[in-house]
Amino acid sequence: MSLVFPGQPLSSSVEKNDGVYIDSNGVPRASLVGIFKHNSMHVPKLRANAPTENSIVLGTVLRLNSQQATIAIQVVDNIPLPHGEDYTGVIRSQDVRATEKDKIKIADCFRGGDIVAGQVATLAATTSERDASSFVRNANGRQYNSSNTLYLLPSDQSEFARHDKQHRLLELALGGLYPVPAVVESILSPDPDRPKAILDLGAGSGLWCIQMALKFTHCEVVGVDLVANASRAMPPNCRFEFDDINLGLPHFHNKFDLVHSRAIVNGINDFEKYIEDVVACLKPGGIAILVEGDWRPYREDKITPYPPAGLGVPNGSWWARICFEAFERMKKRGSSIDGGDEIEKGLRHPLIRDSQTDSLF
């Protein structure tokens, strides 16, 4: 009896079954993480606990960058997880070895699809300011993320305070944490046969995540950001992950009842791919709530934009010119800064059944 992984060759006497396939060379191979026992595959009924500090875990490398490898944890303390219920882990350059950490290049240590084993050092990637420092760089007295060159705004406590103000503004404008409350609350209502989960892409200061976790205590709430706010105490059903959405979200596909994001398109390099990921992260019957701003200042009628000054238009606005230049510069750098215009047109995707938009001034 032994633990096997997808693709691992098995005994030649094993026949094809639910956990076994035969490759092109006639070699039986495992198609699941499970226990190989008496010529058959078996996934134990015992349910694995969530990883804790010092847990021994096994997982598959999903993606890599220079600083970290993201893995899908599939086995916790020798108990395989049910298919599709993996946890996400991160291996950072400083986790590979204790000395000369600055010389480590994660991409040279792993390849996508590698199966890795390790011991959980800490869960503090979601709560510790010490670990958050691994994802920032300092410049001109401020902290910035160190992994996404498109997103130029800071990632420090002063910026998180601004996020909190923005959160309060949107809360007042929407009349709460989310629009269409009857729909959202119906989707997130407790169901003993179907655990509910919420994903916030670009969690910022984390205030929306925390308030949602407190309101929906039966839901798992996951916030993702380039640099998540590591200074806030979080409810037990809430966690933050440090990640770049541009790298893709395959480990989150088909896992969430609500996907939420606000004011993040300036850091997105491919808007269509981002929408594909948002939709793929939803379970059937789930809802996506995307909130983006319009960079153009409008006249009092809330319909007519002010023309930018200095471009041959009489009575132009210099504030509109500043916004115009910033917008054009971001577009030239590869940002999907015009994603707000696309969202205003509605989410056009074959899997979206009902798309509604609204504008708030």
Side-chain angles (χ1 to χ4, degrees), residues 11-12 21 39 50 122 130 133 162 164 223 242 253 267:
S11 167
S12 59
Y21 70 96
N39 290 337
T122 178
R130 176 196 64 192
S133 65
R162 186 189 69 80
D164 283 354
F242 297 81
H253 287 181

Side-chain angles (χ1 to χ4, degrees), residues 65 96 115 119 162 169 211 303 306:
N65 61 31
V96 175
I115 294 173
Q119 185 174 34
R162 186 189 69 80
L169 182 151
Q211 290 186 345
I303 298 174
Y306 282 101

Side-chain angles (χ1 to χ4, degrees), residues 255-274:
K255 291 188 177 181
F256 294 92
D257 301 276
L258 165 59
V259 177
H260 172 269
S261 76
R262 55 171 59 157
I264 67 168
V265 290
N266 57 325
I268 299 296
N269 59 21
D270 186 335
F271 185 77
E272 290 186 5
K273 177 177 175 293
Y274 161 67

Side-chain angles (χ1 to χ4, degrees), residues 13-276:
S13 62
V14 179
E15 296 181 356
K16 182 179 178 180
N17 58 52
D18 287 343
V20 178
Y21 70 96
I22 308 300
D23 70 13
S24 59
N25 296 316
V27 177
R29 295 181 181 272
S31 61
L32 300 170
V33 176
I35 304 296
F36 180 60
K37 182 180 180 181
H38 302 305
N39 290 337
S40 64
M41 286 288 295
H42 170 64
V43 178
K45 296 294 184 183
L46 182 62
R47 187 174 180 86
N49 293 319
T52 60
E53 290 189 11
N54 299 318
S55 289
I56 303 299
V57 299
L58 299 170
T60 304
V61 175
L62 295 174
R63 60 176 182 268
L64 303 159
N65 61 31
S66 61
Q67 296 178 314
Q68 66 183 49
T70 301
I71 65 170
I73 296 173
Q74 297 158 326
V75 180
V76 179
D77 293 326
N78 292 320
I79 302 178
L81 293 160
H83 178 67
E85 295 187 18
D86 347 325
Y87 292 94
T88 303
V90 172
I91 302 174
R92 304 160 302 172
S93 56
Q94 59 264 46
D95 298 324
V96 175
R97 67 183 185 194
T99 59
E100 297 184 308
K101 303 172 188 176
D102 58 324
K103 295 183 179 180
I104 292 291
K105 294 182 178 179
I106 287 288
D108 293 337
C109 302
F110 304 99
R111 293 176 299 177
D114 280 356
I115 294 173
V116 297
Q119 185 174 34
V120 177
T122 178
L123 302 178
T126 60
T127 57
S128 166
E129 291 196 68
R130 176 196 64 192
D131 283 357
S133 65
S134 306
F135 298 88
V136 301
R137 59 183 175 84
N138 294 301
N140 303 315
R142 301 293 300 271
Q143 285 187 341
Y144 298 84
N145 87 83
S146 58
S147 56
N148 181 322
T149 57
L150 278 181
Y151 191 81
L152 297 178
L153 295 177
S155 300
D156 52 22
Q157 290 304 316
S158 295
E159 179 67 3
F160 293 147
R162 186 189 69 80
H163 288 173
D164 283 354
K165 293 176 182 177
Q166 175 179 278
H167 169 78
R168 297 299 187 196
L169 182 151
L170 289 171
E171 194 174 19
L172 289 170
L174 295 172
L177 293 169
Y178 40 81
V180 290
V183 176
V184 172
E185 289 160 18
S186 174
I187 291 171
L188 296 179
S189 61
D191 183 340
D193 299 322
R194 182 179 173 180
K196 300 301 176 71
I198 300 167
L199 176 63
D200 188 21
L201 299 175
S205 71
L207 189 53
W208 188 87
C209 286
I210 291 171
Q211 290 186 345
M212 289 294 286
L214 292 171
K215 184 177 179 69
F216 298 96
T217 55
H218 61 284
C219 293
E220 177 190 17
V221 182
V222 180
V224 179
D225 208 312
L226 295 163
V227 181
N229 185 3
S231 65
R232 279 198 156 112
M234 290 183 297
N237 59 323
C238 181
R239 75 175 190 271
F240 293 154
E241 295 189 5
F242 297 81
D243 208 346
D244 183 353
I245 298 165
N246 290 313
L247 300 176
L249 300 168
H251 52 300
F252 284 154
H253 287 181
N254 198 38
K255 291 188 177 181
F256 294 92
D257 301 276
L258 165 59
V259 177
H260 172 269
S261 76
R262 55 171 59 157
I264 67 168
V265 290
N266 57 325
I268 299 296
N269 59 21
D270 186 335
F271 185 77
E272 290 186 5
K273 177 177 175 293
Y274 161 67
I275 294 299
E276 287 287 344

Side-chain angles (χ1 to χ4, degrees), residues 272 275-276 279-280 346-353:
E272 290 186 5
I275 294 299
E276 287 287 344
V279 174
L347 285 185
R348 292 168 293 183
H349 190 281
L351 296 180
I352 294 293
R353 183 180 62 193

